């Protein structure tokens, strides 16, 4: 499958980073430079996302990875995934389109009510932490979410390559009962990715697209589009899909975007005026193979954490603002796929050197435990 459409998520809980992988859930203590990855739970499940409600965890599996049209999609655990039960509703199992993009990508949790969540395909909502679900729309959004300052506002965003070449974007101001179609605010033959909401001004939102940055100052009613690319591929901005935008936790004048493009580079970009202008994209200097798609981006203290196809990286926000950024694996060293395959010996967790038959999982590379995935 195309890795672009498998987007495992990560969460920062205090100083602990939790990462969804194709082998389950792993964690790492970000405050301890000597910490190593720890297996948490949901062993062997191609984990897409999870949510917490007290001691309970709701986990979402990627439907098509290594399990063609798998009907076990949603799991409930009371012990962080060590044991879990399948609670997939029948309405999820009936989504039988064989195209890999039609799957459930994220669990978006209500900002004040942890029992209420959204997921898609189509857009479903639960108010009892996964026991029952009801459909809000028939759209197939890639991204959706609640407005953190006004959770009655819900957005859903999609992409032109899925839906007759038309970008899709809709907003509800009444919790999903009615919807405004704002598709016409965006360029045709493009995408709208995850929306970032200003931490104090409920009307200011930012999102990325294919080579584009979008901003609104009136709660999504009108949008400004800025072209940030350097060329096109067919009808699409070829340079970079800017999938993730976030406002700085400490200064909302700083906004960050991350993406990974078909030229094989992870890209980062920063605005110091709230998204009015953007600096030249920073490109990770070591090219991975074949691409380095960005799955997720989070903040922790003075750093950005970017989860890409090749690794989880940390980036100094101050350096990114100053355009002198270095990108480092959170293990303390940037290790490329080519290094792994051609130079560094790989051992399994029992200490046995791996020669053939490498599969996705945890390995010891250069004396460090790392989550690695190998192209088949």
């Amino acid at each position: 499958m195309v890795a672009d459409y498998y987007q495992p998520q990560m969460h920062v809980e205090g100083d602990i980073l939790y990462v969804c992988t194709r082998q389950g859930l792993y964690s790492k203590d970000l405050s301890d430079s000597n910490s190593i990855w720890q297996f948490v739970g949901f062993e062997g499940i191609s984990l897409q996302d999870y949510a917490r409600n007290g001691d309970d965890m709701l986990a979402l599996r990627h439907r098509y990875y290594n399990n063609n049209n798998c009907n076990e999609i949603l799991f409930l655990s009371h012990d962080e995934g060590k044991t879990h039960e399948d609670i997939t509703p029948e309405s999820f199992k009936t989504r039988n389109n064989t195209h890999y993009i039609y799957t459930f990508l994220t669990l978006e949790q209500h900002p004040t009510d942890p029992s209420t969540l959204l997921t898609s395909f189509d857009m479903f909502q639960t108010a009892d932490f996964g026991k029952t679900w009801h459909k809000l729309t028939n759209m197939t959004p890639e991204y959706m979410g609640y407005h953190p300052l006004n959770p009655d506002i819900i957005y859903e965003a999609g992409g032109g390559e899925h839906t007759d070449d038309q970008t899709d974007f809709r907003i509800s101001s009444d919790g999903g009962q009615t919807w405004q179609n704002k598709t016409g605010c965006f360029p045709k033959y493009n995408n709208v990715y995850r929306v970032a909401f200003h931490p104090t001004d409920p009307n200011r939102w930012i999102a990325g697209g294919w080579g584009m940055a979008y901003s609104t100052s009136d709660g999504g009613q009108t949008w400004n589009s800025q072209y940030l690319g350097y060329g096109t591929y067919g009808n699409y901005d070829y340079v970079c899909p800017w999938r993730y935008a976030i406002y700085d936790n400490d200064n909302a004048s700083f906004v960050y975007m991350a993406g990974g493009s078909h030229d094989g580079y992870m890209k980062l970009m920063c605005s110091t005026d709230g998204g009015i202008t953007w600096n030249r994209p920073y490109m990770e200097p070591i090219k991975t193979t074949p691409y380095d798609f960005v799955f997720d981006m989070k903040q922790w203290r003075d750093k950005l954490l970017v989860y890409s196809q090749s690794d989880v990286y940390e980036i100094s926000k101050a350096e990114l603002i100053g355009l002198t950024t270095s990108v480092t694996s959170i293990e303390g060293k940037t290790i490329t796929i080519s290094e792994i395959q051609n130079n560094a010996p790989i051992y399994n967790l029992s200490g046995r050197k791996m020669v053939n038959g490498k599969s996705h999982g945890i390995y010891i590379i250069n004396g460090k435990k790392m989550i690695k995935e190998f192209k088949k």
Side-chain angles (χ1 to χ4, degrees), residues 12 14-15 30-31 249 298-305:
V12 178
D15 290 329
L30 297 171
S31 65
N249 287 333
K298 294 289 190 292
Q299 297 182 72
W300 176 74
R301 297 186 182 178
D302 61 348
K303 298 183 184 299
L304 297 175
L305 305 172

Side-chain angles (χ1 to χ4, degrees), residues 23-316:
Q23 298 298 320
L25 184 64
Y26 289 82
S27 70
K28 180 177 174 63
D29 186 348
L30 297 171
S31 65
D32 182 359
S33 60
N34 295 317
S35 69
I36 62 174
W37 288 105
Q38 301 289 332
F39 173 72
V40 177
F42 300 103
E43 184 174 6
I45 293 177
S46 52
L47 200 62
Q48 191 74 20
D49 202 0
Y50 75 88
R52 290 187 190 271
N53 185 9
D55 294 330
D56 293 338
M57 290 185 70
L58 193 65
L60 189 66
R61 157 189 245 152
H62 189 273
R63 187 174 188 175
Y64 292 98
Y65 182 75
N66 278 351
N67 288 279
N68 187 26
N69 206 18
C70 176
N71 280 328
E72 293 182 353
I73 304 168
L74 196 67
F75 301 91
L76 179 65
S77 175
H78 307 293
D79 55 10
E80 289 206 321
K82 296 177 179 63
T83 61
H84 47 79
E85 59 178 318
D86 173 27
I87 61 167
T88 309
E90 289 300 318
S91 56
F92 286 19
K93 297 177 182 179
T94 58
R95 310 310 297 169
N96 288 321
N97 193 304
T98 57
H99 200 295
Y100 54 77
I101 67 172
Y102 295 117
T103 187
F104 299 83
L105 290 178
T106 61
L107 288 169
E108 298 294 330
Q109 201 160 20
H110 191 284
T112 59
D113 179 6
S115 295
T116 299
L117 301 100
L118 298 170
T119 192
S120 65
F121 168 89
D122 303 304
M123 183 187 284
F124 288 92
Q125 186 177 59
T126 178
D128 52 17
F129 205 62
K131 295 178 182 177
T132 60
W133 295 82
H134 67 280
K135 186 188 296 186
L136 291 184
T137 74
N138 290 320
M139 184 185 168
T140 307
E142 289 183 83
Y143 299 93
M144 71 274 171
Y146 299 98
H147 194 305
L149 301 179
N150 182 0
D152 285 337
I153 296 175
I154 304 173
Y155 82 93
E156 56 179 12
E161 75 268 36
H162 309 164
T163 51
D164 298 325
D165 296 327
Q166 179 62 64
T167 304
D168 288 302
F169 192 82
R170 292 173 172 82
I171 303 171
S172 173
S173 59
D174 54 15
Q177 298 180 53
T178 60
W179 293 84
Q180 301 177 58
N181 189 341
K182 294 298 178 181
T183 295
C185 296
F186 301 92
K188 198 174 181 180
Y189 309 115
N190 210 291
N191 289 61
V192 184
Y193 294 117
R194 180 164 292 176
V195 173
F197 297 98
H198 192 283
T200 58
D201 185 344
N203 293 314
R204 301 188 69 86
W205 312 354
I206 284 178
W210 278 84
M212 304 292 294
Y214 308 120
S215 61
T216 178
S217 58
D218 56 11
Q221 298 304 304
T222 60
W223 290 81
N224 176 55
S225 300
Q226 299 180 61
Y227 177 63
L228 303 172
Y230 299 99
T232 60
Y233 177 72
N235 288 322
Y236 303 103
D237 291 307
Y238 184 60
V239 173
C240 187
W242 295 103
R243 293 186 177 277
Y244 295 94
I246 53 177
Y247 284 92
D248 191 283
N249 287 333
D250 301 315
N251 186 344
S253 295
F254 300 147
V255 191
Y256 313 101
M257 285 210 295
S261 70
H262 292 76
D263 61 9
Y265 293 94
M266 180 177 70
K267 293 183 172 67
L268 306 168
M269 189 164 51
C270 174
S271 171
T272 59
D273 54 15
I276 298 173
T277 60
W278 295 87
N279 65 26
R280 183 176 178 177
Y282 167 80
M283 294 184 293
E284 159 61 26
I286 301 176
K287 186 173 181 177
T288 58
T289 180
Y291 309 127
D292 204 6
F293 292 111
V294 171
F295 297 142
D296 199 4
M297 178 169 63
K298 294 289 190 292
Q299 297 182 72
W300 176 74
R301 297 186 182 178
D302 61 348
K303 298 183 184 299
L304 297 175
L305 305 172
V306 179
Y307 186 13
S308 79
Q309 188 174 358
S310 61
D311 214 327
V312 179
Y313 296 93
E314 62 179 24
I315 300 99
S316 164

Side-chain angles (χ1 to χ4, degrees), residues 345-360:
I346 303 173
Y347 301 87
N348 63 21
L349 296 184
S350 299
R352 180 176 297 174
K353 186 175 182 179
M354 304 296 291
V355 179
N356 298 313
K358 289 180 250 183
S359 60
H360 307 311

